[in-house]
Amino acid sequence: MDTVVDFVGSEKANAEDCTTSNMSADPIVYQLVRVDGNGRLVPATEDEVMAVEDLLEIDKSNDTPDTLFEPCGSNKVQFEGSEGQPKLEDLEIGAEKPSMLPDPEMDCGEIDAQHEDRTPSLVPNASDSSVCQSGSAEGCSKLSGGLYENKTSKSAIGTGLNPDFSLLNGEVHLDSLGVKELQDTFKATFGRETSVKDKQWLKRRIIMGLTNSCDFSTTSFVIIDNRVVKKGKEEACKSMDSSVLVDCVVTSLRESHGSPPTCHDNQNENHSIVDGMKAQSSTFQDNYESEDANTNQRPTKRVRKPTKRYIEELSEGESQDSGAKVVSSVKHPSYDQLSGEPITSSEGCKPYTEKKRIQLEKEVKSKNMESSYKTSSDDDVATITTANGGIRRKHHRPWTLSEVVKLVEGVAKYGAGRWSEIKRLAFASYSYRTSVDLKDKWRNLLRASLAELPTGNGMQNSRKQVSVPIPAPILSRVRELADIHSHNDSHNRSVHVT
DNA sequence: CTTAGGG
DNA sequence: CCCTAAG
């Protein structure tokens, strides 16, 4: 395997051109990269990320959690010089030794600019000892290693305008989440289960999952309580084509209503952010005024004739196998050759070439219709059982949270309907997920967001969190983007005046 | 080839 | 997800 994977772990330093914040609470951003043939660092694909995660997970299980993620100070980014090529074996999630290849192209300022030590900047303003009076005194005293993925800064607007909603519960309290919850969140983020019980590790993974994955945009997302906020300068830091500056912060993963656990200290900061976001939002809309794609005039729906062939096919198939679902389980010998995947992973979580495979299956199926009635014995797992005991189809990729976020962001940027654009730009690293998939998912998101409205809260009753639950803030964002305004809050959304 | 809808 | 009809 000539693909080298390494974690470039780096605390996202205060790149001058990106943010003028002098806060030390910048989030820690990890980006999985690999070295391509030319020795350049290129962002790893989702599949690779997954594969590495698996490795790490395995690795992890042999490790004592205590050794993981030492909050040690001296973690400055250093070029490993002639040490050069990091190897997979070197991967140590625990040591977290940031390393970079001596690639001039990647000599981005922000990486080595100001590397503060990894000590969790739990107390942005040390002046305030009331930080984290969240009731989890533990979280406070136990700052050790506590990732405080809480970024509260950057907004220059400091006026104390009051937001419409409470921000107090908006923080991500990954810290206060239990292992189980973290695992759930992990699942939501990565779409798969994890057995790791180490909180630190889980937290880091989750945050990473939400931040990395080769999003080149410098757009940032902040989820504050009920909204997803896009922030960040679009053009900043664009000097490097491969710069990965996902300044993504999630301040709310779970709505921990009831007992608002929040650092009061950050309240002002949050207000600032909200202000900024409001401004953003308006400018955002302004920008989109120009594009008639988003104006109020909804294009008339396309009408279409019923699809004949498909119907015929369906009925035909039904008559043949009387509705029985046929799962082709033929062990295709050419799979491995078919997919020249960068990483050959063991688990079935990597149909890199979904299409090819499906087509191949079809071919096989059509060639010997009868023989395709075998029971699945494939290692690739025809069905996988979820935690709930349900079974899913073979090639169903649950949308992970980060994917959803990306999609929403993409729609925000390029507009709904420009699926191929979004696919190209925002989903470059997701080889699966066709533009059609994006479209479908968006449709579903819309439905979900709408379904949430009427009862206000009724939906939440469904305890079974089947399939990744989409955080309310994202849904409301979806609604926004879809130009569906709940007339409840009579926000004079500057209705166009003909 | 891409998008919109229906299944 | 899959499939097709319209652009």
Side-chain angles (χ1 to χ4, degrees):
Chain A
M1 179 198 305
D2 48 25
T3 310
V4 184
V5 183
D6 186 33
F7 268 105
V8 176
S10 72
E11 194 150 356
K12 191 207 158 287
N14 304 323
E16 305 121 13
D17 44 346
C18 276
T19 171
T20 55
S21 161
N22 53 2
M23 306 281 302
S24 54
D26 283 323
I28 299 176
V29 175
Y30 297 94
Q31 173 64 38
L32 186 63
V33 299
R34 66 179 166 82
V35 182
D36 67 6
N38 302 325
R40 296 182 51 127
L41 289 180
V42 300
T45 68
E46 173 81 350
D47 287 332
E48 288 165 336
V49 172
M50 287 297 190
V52 173
E53 279 168 10
D54 288 342
L55 282 175
L56 292 172
E57 207 166 320
I58 293 167
D59 218 32
K60 163 80 186 65
S61 53
N62 304 332
D63 239 89
T64 58
D66 296 341
T67 66
L68 293 178
F69 200 77
E70 291 277 314
C72 55
S74 61
N75 259 330
K76 308 216 166 213
V77 160
Q78 39 198 317
F79 294 98
E80 306 240 315
S82 55
E83 297 273 82
Q85 304 278 311
K87 298 187 172 113
L88 261 180
E89 295 83 54
D90 290 335
L91 270 175
E92 274 186 33
I93 191 74
E96 197 96 85
K97 193 191 296 178
S99 65
M100 279 191 56
L101 290 185
D103 186 342
E105 300 278 342
M106 275 298 284
D107 187 5
C108 38
E110 52 263 54
I111 299 284
D112 67 344
Q114 305 188 18
H115 253 289
E116 307 164 40
D117 51 42
R118 195 160 298 282
T119 311
S121 32
L122 219 318
V123 190
N125 290 333
S127 58
D128 197 337
S129 58
S130 67
V131 178
C132 277
Q133 52 172 288
S134 51
S136 68
E138 192 182 40
C140 257
S141 56
K142 220 178 177 181
L143 310 185
S144 59
L147 268 181
Y148 200 74
E149 352 287 351
N150 197 7
K151 158 114 169 146
T152 59
S153 64
K154 183 159 188 171
S155 173
I157 312 173
T159 64
L161 294 183
N162 283 327
D164 303 337
F165 40 84
S166 161
L167 295 162
L168 294 184
N169 358 346
E171 315 283 300
V172 164
H173 276 272
L174 288 181
D175 276 334
S176 53
L177 294 181
V179 173
K180 184 68 171 67
E181 294 164 300
L182 283 172
Q183 286 179 341
D184 285 346
T185 309
F186 181 97
K187 185 183 173 188
T189 306
F190 295 108
R192 63 189 181 82
E193 309 260 2
T194 180
S195 57
V196 177
K197 294 196 177 58
D198 182 44
K199 282 176 150 190
Q200 308 298 342
W201 188 88
L202 287 168
K203 282 185 280 192
R204 282 189 42 258
R205 300 260 91 195
I206 291 163
I207 294 304
M208 194 176 88
L210 289 169
T211 55
N212 82 358
S213 297
C214 314
D215 187 337
F216 285 164
S217 77
T218 57
T219 312
S220 311
F221 259 82
V222 176
I223 303 175
I224 296 180
D225 197 25
N226 258 336
R227 303 198 177 230
V228 180
V229 182
K230 201 173 99 177
K231 72 187 181 90
K233 302 176 184 174
E234 298 263 4
E235 299 301 335
C237 301
K238 65 174 178 215
S239 47
M240 307 163 307
D241 22 342
S242 55
S243 83
V244 179
L245 264 181
V246 192
D247 181 12
C248 172
V249 178
V250 177
T251 41
S252 166
L253 266 187
R254 291 173 172 259
E255 308 205 3
S256 43
H257 288 293
S259 64
T262 303
C263 303
H264 281 210
D265 176 40
N266 293 331
Q267 201 169 340
N268 281 341
E269 303 280 349
N270 280 338
H271 283 295
S272 308
I273 290 182
V274 172
D275 294 340
M277 118 190 154
K278 280 185 174 172
Q280 260 278 347
S281 166
S282 60
T283 57
F284 174 76
Q285 279 220 340
D286 290 344
N287 289 343
Y288 265 63
E289 294 295 327
S290 54
E291 281 193 55
D292 45 6
N294 219 27
T295 51
N296 281 359
Q297 33 155 348
R298 291 207 164 280
T300 55
K301 280 191 177 181
R302 216 149 69 177
V303 284
R304 58 196 292 273
K305 298 176 183 174
T307 63
K308 290 176 184 173
R309 230 174 84 191
Y310 185 39
I311 294 174
E312 282 172 14
E313 268 183 4
L314 275 187
S315 53
E316 191 180 54
E318 251 179 44
S319 66
Q320 283 207 359
D321 55 27
S322 62
K325 212 37 178 188
V326 179
V327 180
S328 165
S329 59
V330 188
K331 186 108 185 173
H332 309 298
S334 50
Y335 271 6
D336 295 334
Q337 297 154 4
L338 252 176
S339 54
E341 294 158 40
I343 291 184
T344 52
S345 147
S346 48
E347 289 284 311
C349 72
K350 58 177 347 6
Y352 198 77
T353 50
E354 202 75 41
K355 280 291 183 188
K356 282 184 191 169
R357 191 194 185 109
I358 289 173
Q359 282 175 4
L360 196 142
E361 272 187 16
K362 277 183 185 168
E363 280 182 32
V364 173
K365 199 165 164 181
S366 63
K367 275 182 182 171
N368 43 359
M369 250 309 216
E370 289 124 12
S371 65
S372 66
Y373 282 79
K374 301 172 185 172
T375 57
S376 85
S377 61
D378 205 339
D379 282 353
D380 247 4
V381 196
T383 61
I384 52 177
T385 56
T386 66
N388 306 330
I391 36 182
R392 284 200 309 250
R393 262 214 356 235
K394 194 173 178 182
H395 297 306
H396 175 61
R397 284 218 183 220
W399 277 70
T400 67
L401 209 83
S402 57
E403 281 178 306
V404 170
V405 168
K406 266 189 232 304
L407 175 58
V408 174
E409 184 188 1
V411 171
K413 238 191 220 165
Y414 310 107
R418 318 263 284 263
W419 305 119
S420 60
E421 287 241 315
I422 298 174
K423 154 80 176 154
R424 274 202 343 253
L425 300 167
F427 278 75
S429 52
Y430 297 76
S431 39
Y432 43 96
R433 304 298 183 218
T434 68
S435 53
V436 176
D437 290 331
L438 302 190
K439 185 258 306 175
D440 284 338
K441 183 57 182 179
W442 179 255
R443 186 171 48 176
N444 289 337
L445 281 177
L446 261 184
R447 283 176 189 159
S449 71
L450 289 178
E452 203 190 35
L453 262 186
T455 44
N457 238 355
M459 247 281 293
Q460 269 76 353
N461 280 343
S462 57
R463 288 234 167 180
K464 315 171 186 175
Q465 288 183 341
V466 184
S467 81
V468 184
I470 290 147
I474 294 185
L475 291 183
S476 57
R477 221 305 173 77
V478 170
R479 234 174 291 130
E480 265 181 39
L481 292 171
D483 201 11
I484 299 173
H485 308 113
S486 56
H487 298 295
N488 296 339
D489 37 2
S490 54
H491 268 157
N492 266 344
R493 283 276 189 187
S494 68
V495 184
H496 72 305
V497 198
T498 53

